[in-house]
Amino acid sequence: MKLLYSLFCVVLLTVSVQSATLADLAVRNCESFNEYSSRLKMVADSIAAVDAQIQKVTNTVVSSLPPLEPKGEFEKLADYESRKADYDAFVKSKVEGQIAGYLMYKNECEVIYKKIVEIQSQVLADAMASGNGNVSPFSAEGEIDLDVLLKPTSKHVDEYERRIQIIEERIENTDKEREVLLTRFLDSYPRLNPKEDLETEQEFVARRTVWQQTGDSLYSSLLKRCDAYRERLVLGISKLEGFINEVRSLHLWTYAKDASVVLGNYDSEKEAFELNVLDTLNPEVPFAYAGWLYMPIDKAKDFDRTLTGFDVRVEFFNDPLHTDHGDLYAGVIKMDLTHPSFEFDYCGKFMILDYSHEEGFEQWKKRIKKMRKNLK
């Protein structure tokens, strides 16, 4: 039967429901708890609309009938009550003739409502039995593919930070959805029918106990599933943070073709020239290195310290400092310095260049120092 009878199709349901049928609403064709909550609300709204229409029709019928004459001065009470009973029966017959279709429809809605509640409870029970915390108990809207997000498929910190933001937003949304879900569950859980006339007190208490225990069990299971899903999201963030640390600790190499190599004063005790290697103009891997280039005194006397042609290759962490002008991989940790005309030894250390004007510099600087320390 169509959701709206042709007799009163314009007065019952909202437009969003008119294309559906009651039978369609009571079919288990998805596994979304929220979907069945929405269907329950649709049916409940329909019942409320029918009740309002029944009251409206009743008022119209009653107002169109001649009123019951009050008890006359010389009329016995028994006669008046008999006359009133006849009048009430007459009014009832008139009203029932007008609302028969509404009552039939309301009864169908109530039957469908109970069926949807049963389906919803079974959907939840099945989900609990599966013990699958990977699937969200919430609406599909805004759902994320966590398995894909947690795969180590990138070597860029930005990518994992983007994924963390996605999960954080999902956690925020699920926290809100959780409250809505629990409220809907409480609102949609079937009410306990009153004690029936032929039902003993013991039977009623037993039925009420089953009703209470079933509701408590489903509610508790729903809570556990919500918490399990949220916990998996939180653990996902921890896993991505681990990926970030791994990516940041990766060592990358590049040739510093524009680096300047400057040999300063010679220290006869160390038998070494002061060594400064600087490349601050590099748009991606700027660095500053200071140390000593060792050379025996007999060779150093005739060595041209203005010599050019050094080859410089630097190793750095895959952890850039983000700036408005691009990423700076300034966490340099090792340098290979060679010259095609002679061999030499050298030592020194890198200085962290000052980018304090850039947002996030201090945090980045602490991280680089910690990673450098861990290498020792």
Side-chain angles (χ1 to χ4, degrees):
M1 176 176 290
K2 289 293 182 182
L3 190 61
L4 303 180
Y5 288 105
S6 59
L7 178 63
F8 43 91
C9 63
V10 296
V11 295
L12 294 183
L13 301 179
T14 58
V15 174
S16 62
V17 189
Q18 290 177 1
S19 61
T21 69
L22 287 176
D24 290 337
L25 296 178
V27 173
R28 181 172 177 175
N29 51 14
C30 72
E31 300 302 309
S32 169
F33 186 92
N34 281 355
E35 168 62 23
Y36 295 109
S37 293
S38 298
R39 296 183 188 183
L40 287 173
K41 186 178 185 306
M42 291 165 61
V43 178
D45 289 345
S46 299
I47 294 174
V50 172
D51 285 338
Q53 191 64 19
I54 288 175
Q55 187 60 50
K56 180 179 179 181
V57 172
T58 299
N59 293 339
T60 300
V61 171
V62 172
S63 63
S64 67
L65 298 176
L68 175 67
E69 292 291 336
K71 179 181 177 297
E73 182 179 3
F74 302 101
E75 185 179 23
K76 290 181 178 296
L77 179 59
D79 294 336
Y80 169 73
E81 290 180 345
S82 177
R83 181 165 60 83
K84 183 178 183 301
D86 292 340
Y87 179 83
D88 290 342
F90 170 72
V91 172
K92 182 180 179 181
S93 65
K94 292 291 187 181
V95 170
E96 288 180 345
Q98 295 294 319
I99 66 172
Y102 294 107
L103 292 174
M104 184 185 301
Y105 177 70
K106 180 181 178 181
N107 180 68
E108 291 184 1
C109 285
E110 291 173 343
V111 171
I112 291 300
Y113 188 93
K114 291 181 180 180
K115 288 183 179 180
I116 297 174
V117 168
E118 292 174 358
I119 292 174
Q120 186 182 48
S121 299
Q122 189 59 51
V123 166
L124 184 57
D126 290 346
M128 297 308 105
S130 69
N132 186 1
N134 298 345
V135 181
S136 169
F138 311 101
S139 65
E141 182 179 357
E143 183 58 284
I144 59 177
D145 192 335
L146 197 57
D147 290 333
V148 173
L149 292 177
L150 297 183
K151 290 181 178 179
T153 56
S154 177
K155 295 187 180 300
H156 298 282
V157 171
D158 287 352
E159 171 59 23
Y160 293 119
E161 289 177 339
R162 181 188 70 83
R163 298 182 189 182
I164 287 177
Q165 184 177 359
I166 291 175
I167 297 177
E168 287 176 339
E169 291 175 355
R170 184 56 181 159
I171 290 176
E172 182 179 353
N173 290 335
T174 53
D175 286 344
K176 296 176 182 178
E177 292 174 355
R178 179 180 186 271
E179 297 304 316
V180 174
L181 180 64
L182 295 176
T183 300
R184 285 183 176 176
F185 173 80
L186 294 175
D187 290 342
S188 62
Y189 190 69
R191 299 296 180 259
L192 178 66
N193 292 330
K195 181 179 178 297
E196 300 176 357
D197 293 339
L198 300 179
E199 188 177 30
T200 66
E201 184 64 26
Q202 185 177 4
E203 290 172 338
F204 172 70
V205 171
R207 179 164 60 85
R208 183 179 60 190
T209 300
V210 172
W211 174 84
Q212 182 67 53
Q213 290 177 346
T214 302
D216 290 345
S217 176
L218 289 174
Y219 187 82
S220 176
S221 298
L222 182 58
L223 276 178
K224 289 180 181 179
R225 187 163 180 240
C226 290
D227 292 342
Y229 180 73
R230 190 183 194 281
E231 179 65 16
R232 186 166 186 263
L233 293 176
V234 173
L235 292 176
I237 291 179
S238 297
K239 188 172 184 178
L240 289 175
E241 288 174 343
F243 291 163
I244 288 177
N245 291 333
E246 292 177 5
V247 168
R248 283 172 171 164
S249 63
L250 291 175
H251 297 182
L252 306 178
W253 286 92
T254 188
Y255 284 96
K257 298 179 180 180
D258 298 323
S260 64
V261 180
V262 178
L263 299 180
N265 295 328
Y266 184 79
D267 187 322
S268 59
E269 299 300 323
K270 287 185 171 61
E271 295 192 12
F273 288 103
E274 292 178 345
L275 172 65
N276 287 280
V277 185
L278 186 66
D279 191 358
T280 58
L281 299 180
N282 191 314
E284 294 183 352
V285 192
F287 69 93
Y289 180 93
W292 300 93
L293 185 150
Y294 295 100
M295 185 175 293
I297 294 177
D298 57 342
K299 290 185 178 181
K301 290 179 180 179
D302 300 323
F303 183 74
D304 180 8
R305 68 189 68 188
T306 64
L307 180 68
T308 60
F310 285 92
D311 293 321
V312 183
R313 194 173 76 126
V314 290
E315 182 179 351
F316 54 95
F317 289 121
N318 185 27
D319 185 8
L321 171 65
H322 303 303
T323 74
D324 293 337
H325 305 291
D327 290 342
L328 296 178
Y329 291 85
V332 182
I333 53 177
K334 186 178 179 181
M335 178 181 70
D336 280 350
L337 180 65
T338 59
H339 196 282
S341 65
F342 70 104
E343 295 182 356
F344 56 90
D345 294 327
Y346 62 94
C347 71
K349 63 180 182 179
F350 291 97
M351 295 167 285
I352 295 182
L353 300 174
D354 184 13
Y355 291 99
S356 55
H357 60 285
E358 298 289 353
E359 183 179 356
F361 171 71
E362 292 301 328
Q363 182 179 3
W364 173 86
K365 180 179 177 181
K366 291 180 181 178
R367 196 165 60 240
I368 292 298
K369 284 185 174 180
K370 183 178 179 180
M371 289 194 293
R372 282 181 173 176
K373 185 178 180 179
N374 291 337
L375 291 177
K376 296 179 181 180

